[in-house]
Amino acid sequence: MENQHSEGGSTPGFVYTGSRTTLARRARGQGIEVFDLLADGSLHHRHHHSTAPNPSFLCLDATARHLYCVHGDGDSVSAFRIQDDGALLDLGTYACGGNNPVHFLASRGGRWLLVANFASGNLATLPIQTDGSLGEVAHTLPLPGKPGPHRNQQTGAHPHQLVYHPTGDWLAVPDKGTDTVHAVHLDEASGRLTWMHDSPLAAGSGPRHLAYSGDGRIAWIVLELSSQVLAARVCAQRGVFTPFERWSTLPAHYTGDNTASGIALSADESKLYVSNRGHGSIACFAVHDGRLSPSGWHETGGTTPRFITLAPDPPALWAANEDADSIVRLHAAQPSTVLARTGSPVCIVFKPGVPHASH
């Protein structure tokens, strides 16, 4: 494991990276990697934690004392307690009520883990116990809808993300398989999920992930299969999305294969970023009253930046290059900085920590 880090300084937190590990994915990952996040934004590798195959997407609970991972291409999720030094203590691996879990999050009330099962086209809830471990699946919700026109990528409902609306009491679920965004309600007392509404998008577009404006009135939706980003107005009461503009995430001259992937909105909501797998770039858009203006592309140093996120301190855009085995920090009009070399990274999670002397 290679690191790029400076000597001296403190560790304001930890960084956890998920990875692909299987031959079927032609992967080089070995599990979950744990890094010190130093005060200057650099990384120092601290721990390696072996897991069941493909600990791909990661999330923290509301207390940030427990970490969870889905096992992509499988049928389970795992729970861990985070030790003071950032190391992970296994709390068990649990059936997730479906196949190929790709995204999840802890409920607002902290009682449930909500899982999007991509291959089986359903959502599931698992109770979060007081010690951070998980209980058996409480409820599953098959998603309705007609498969899109892509014969290989749209074989049924394929939920790819769960996102709470900032002000409404419901979650959005972009469904790559049926070209819709579903609105779903969680009963925090029972863990029961109820389907509310769906908003159809362009056939064959493949909605993957989305980001909201702070007031929840606008959502920007990554359309994976058409390599576009869609802007939509949102009804907070009904969970309805009404598109009003769409932009390509690719330069006009690019003719190669590509699928759009991650999305991130700057803290001041003036910039939106979308990653391109194939073109190997981050498309940048200026945001004005919800409308977008293309403002160029950042090269990531790899052709498959599957995941992007905004680092909290110091603020910066980071990307996980799955094919290039690297975590990079992006700079305007400058080459990206490699922060760490690690096998097939596909997710990055930041956890605040207690400052201490660096290595």
Side-chain angles (χ1 to χ4, degrees), residues 41 262-266 271-275 281-285 296-300 305 307-320 327-332 335-337 339 348 350:
I263 189 168
L265 179 68
S266 65
K271 298 180 180 65
L272 186 78
Y273 306 97
V274 178
S275 63
S281 67
I282 310 299
C284 307
F285 299 87
W297 289 264
H298 290 307
E299 294 184 2
T300 68
F307 180 91
I308 57 174
T309 189
L310 288 161
D313 186 22
L317 181 66
W318 289 24
I327 304 294
V328 299
R329 182 169 59 226
L330 285 303
H331 308 274
S336 58
T337 298
L339 299 173
I348 306 166
F350 299 93

Side-chain angles (χ1 to χ4, degrees), residues 286-348:
V287 183
H288 302 283
D289 296 325
R291 293 191 174 274
L292 303 179
S293 301
S295 59
W297 289 264
H298 290 307
E299 294 184 2
T300 68
T303 59
T304 315
R306 178 176 291 272
F307 180 91
I308 57 174
T309 189
L310 288 161
D313 186 22
L317 181 66
W318 289 24
N321 282 319
E322 182 180 7
D323 65 308
D325 299 337
S326 62
I327 304 294
V328 299
R329 182 169 59 226
L330 285 303
H331 308 274
Q334 297 178 26
S336 58
T337 298
V338 177
L339 299 173
R341 297 284 184 186
T342 183
S344 304
V346 293
C347 188
I348 306 166

Side-chain angles (χ1 to χ4, degrees), residues 148-149 154 178-180 199-207 223 226 228 230 243 246:
Q154 297 181 307
T178 65
D179 295 316
T180 59
S199 300
L201 304 182
S205 59
L223 304 178
S226 60
Q228 294 173 315
L230 179 77
R246 184 165 43 164

Side-chain angles (χ1 to χ4, degrees), residues 129-280:
Q129 315 287 11
T130 55
D131 66 353
S133 63
L134 300 173
E136 294 183 357
V137 171
H139 187 240
T140 60
L141 178 69
L143 293 174
K146 180 182 176 182
H150 196 295
R151 288 186 295 176
N152 297 326
Q153 295 290 321
Q154 297 181 307
T155 59
H158 295 315
H160 218 300
Q161 190 189 30
L162 293 142
V163 196
Y164 271 107
H165 186 266
T167 64
D169 186 24
W170 52 274
L171 299 102
V173 183
D175 183 345
K176 174 182 165 181
T178 65
D179 295 316
T180 59
V181 177
H182 304 278
V184 174
H185 177 262
L186 169 72
D187 180 358
E188 187 74 30
S190 67
R192 186 170 184 82
L193 295 161
T194 305
W195 182 86
M196 296 169 48
H197 195 279
D198 66 11
S199 300
L201 304 182
S205 59
R208 178 184 174 93
H209 280 196
L210 64 80
Y212 285 111
S213 60
D215 60 13
R217 295 180 180 180
I218 303 293
W220 298 276
I221 306 165
V222 175
L223 304 178
E224 176 180 335
L225 299 179
S226 60
S227 293
Q228 294 173 315
V229 59
L230 179 77
R233 294 182 180 87
V234 185
C235 173
Q237 289 72 40
R238 298 178 56 219
V240 176
F241 293 75
T242 305
F244 63 88
E245 72 170 358
R246 184 165 43 164
W247 290 91
S248 174
T249 63
L250 296 168
H253 62 78
Y254 182 76
T255 58
D257 292 335
N258 189 77
T259 52
S261 185
I263 189 168
L265 179 68
S266 65
D268 64 2
E269 301 189 17
S270 67
K271 298 180 180 65
L272 186 78
Y273 306 97
V274 178
S275 63
N276 285 308
R277 295 175 297 175
H279 185 243

Side-chain angles (χ1 to χ4, degrees), residues 16 59-67 81-83 350-352:
Y16 297 86
C59 78
L60 295 167
D61 69 353
T63 69
R65 297 191 186 107
H66 302 100
L67 182 80
R81 180 178 299 119
I82 299 175
Q83 311 288 68
F350 299 93
K351 181 198 180 303

